[in-house]
Amino acid sequence: MTALAPTLEAFFTERLARQRRASDHTIAAYRDTWRLLLAFTASRAGTPPSRLDIADLDAAAVSAFLDHLEKDRGNSIRTRNARLAAIHSAFSYAALRHPEHAALIARVLAIPAKRADKALVTYLTQAEADALLAAPDRATRTGRRDHAMLHLAIITGLRVSELTALTRGDVHLGRGPHVSCTGKGRKQRITPLTAPATAVLRGWLAELPAHPGQLLFPGRAGNRLSSDAVEHRLARHARTAAARCPSLAGKTITPHVLRHTAAMNLLHAGVEISVIALWLGHEQTETAQIYLNSRELHQTGEKPQVAMSGRYSSGLSRALGMAA
């Protein structure tokens, strides 16, 4: 057995699962990266994956793999950089266990992420958000659920996985109303609620069982909604809303667009970028910089997509004040 196999096994079981307590999503993404890398290297070297060693994964091999991702698989620069991050993480761990490969590992760790062109994030204007929230048929229980879910997503910017995992016990509508959730990396955070969002959630909670473990937005069978189910519901409501607000017809509306909308609303309300990063659950402030860059690109090019209404800005200010 080569040194690579036990090192990778320890990386996934000790470093990711036990020490870092990485999420299932992170572990799956890293696993897929290494599956691709090992298959590519084995094919290139004419060696079975089980016989590959650390020395076979030098900087030249890893660089060739990254080029393969872009040119042959058609992956974006962002995906390429995410794969590189997974490789760097494993090699950083290997450096502690195999100092005899220090020079090779250092060269792999020196491979830089590729710079990508700055892109404008897609988000909703106030009119588009209002049209989307009016789309669900609130004469039905499913429509009332979807209305509450979309309203909460636009206000809080929760990731779809965070949104579908919420329970009744995560919602606090007393003094300083807020929702609490467990996000990426199992980090817990609290997000304030505006008065309109509080009113919507109070009405929806009246329809749910009083048990604190009750899912906030259950499926018809009481089960947790999948990400695909949320995307399907959102796309359906976006089509309905486009009849009222034609500008929606030119946009692809996903749960992440609602997250972008929350961030841009905060930015236009004058909230500091560091606070926005905390609000969205970003590990680093730099991650939220994309919203500031997007606003600057809008200001130097086309007109901004969003115009913050006074009522919304003041609502955010009050929510932030209550959370302080």
Side-chain angles (χ1 to χ4, degrees):
M1 180 184 296
T2 68
L4 180 61
T7 301
L8 280 180
E9 182 179 359
F11 169 69
F12 279 95
T13 57
E14 289 184 27
R15 173 57 62 88
L16 291 183
R18 188 172 64 84
Q19 296 175 1
R20 292 181 56 185
R21 297 184 64 205
S23 67
D24 293 341
H25 177 79
T26 298
I27 292 174
Y30 280 30
R31 176 205 63 204
D32 292 344
T33 294
W34 277 92
R35 278 180 174 175
L36 290 170
L37 175 59
L38 293 176
F40 172 80
T41 306
S43 174
R44 196 163 172 259
T47 303
S50 59
R51 296 183 59 184
L52 291 176
D53 205 345
I54 294 175
D56 295 311
L57 300 174
D58 57 12
V62 172
S63 295
F65 169 68
L66 297 174
D67 289 340
H68 162 72
L69 292 179
E70 288 190 75
K71 296 176 181 177
D72 300 329
R73 294 181 62 87
N75 290 165
S76 66
I77 292 176
R78 182 175 180 178
T79 298
R80 180 256 192 206
N81 289 342
R83 300 295 190 197
L84 177 59
I87 294 168
H88 277 173
S89 183
F91 269 81
S92 295
Y93 178 73
L96 303 175
R97 297 171 61 97
H98 296 286
E100 69 274 16
H101 292 294
L104 181 149
I105 291 172
R107 285 191 288 271
V108 171
L109 294 177
I111 298 174
K114 182 176 279 190
R115 292 176 63 92
D117 293 336
K118 294 178 181 178
L120 294 175
V121 297
T122 300
Y123 52 96
L124 304 181
T125 66
Q126 188 68 55
E128 290 169 344
D130 289 344
L132 181 64
L133 291 177
D137 180 7
R138 277 176 275 176
T140 67
R141 188 174 187 276
T142 300
R144 292 190 294 274
R145 179 203 65 190
D146 289 357
H147 173 75
M149 181 169 61
L150 296 179
H151 199 124
L152 185 62
I154 290 173
I155 292 297
T156 62
L158 292 180
R159 300 177 179 92
V160 66
S161 60
E162 297 166 347
L163 197 65
T164 58
L166 289 175
T167 65
R168 186 185 182 110
D170 294 325
V171 181
H172 308 272
L173 301 181
R175 183 177 176 83
H178 63 273
V179 294
S180 58
C181 74
T182 302
K184 291 179 68 174
R186 295 189 174 89
K187 292 185 176 68
Q188 294 185 330
R189 73 180 188 278
I190 291 175
T191 307
L193 296 173
T194 59
T198 301
V200 169
L201 286 175
R202 183 172 283 116
W204 173 240
L205 286 177
E207 301 191 41
L208 294 178
H211 191 277
Q214 164 67 40
L215 284 170
L216 185 60
F217 303 118
R220 290 185 178 179
N223 56 310
R224 176 177 173 178
L225 289 172
S226 67
S227 296
D228 288 343
V230 175
E231 290 184 7
H232 173 75
R233 300 297 301 174
L234 177 55
R236 177 178 177 178
H237 295 314
R239 288 192 297 270
T240 302
R244 174 182 173 183
C245 186
S247 62
L248 281 170
K251 292 183 177 180
T252 300
I253 310 302
T254 67
H256 220 67
V257 169
L258 305 187
R259 181 168 164 83
H260 291 329
T261 301
M264 294 303 293
N265 284 340
L266 288 166
L267 184 62
H268 282 272
V271 179
E272 293 290 335
I273 198 71
S274 58
V275 177
I276 295 175
L278 290 173
W279 186 294
L280 297 179
H282 288 311
E283 187 171 348
Q284 298 177 336
T285 301
E286 291 77 9
T287 308
Q289 191 71 24
I290 183 176
Y291 303 112
L292 188 59
N293 293 337
S294 185
R295 184 180 69 171
E296 291 172 350
L297 286 170
H298 278 303
Q299 290 173 343
T300 57
E302 299 180 357
K303 293 166 61 177
Q305 293 182 15
V306 68
M308 286 298 298
S309 64
R311 63 180 174 84
Y312 197 89
S313 297
S314 60
L316 285 172
S317 299
R318 286 195 296 272
L320 285 167
M322 287 186 292

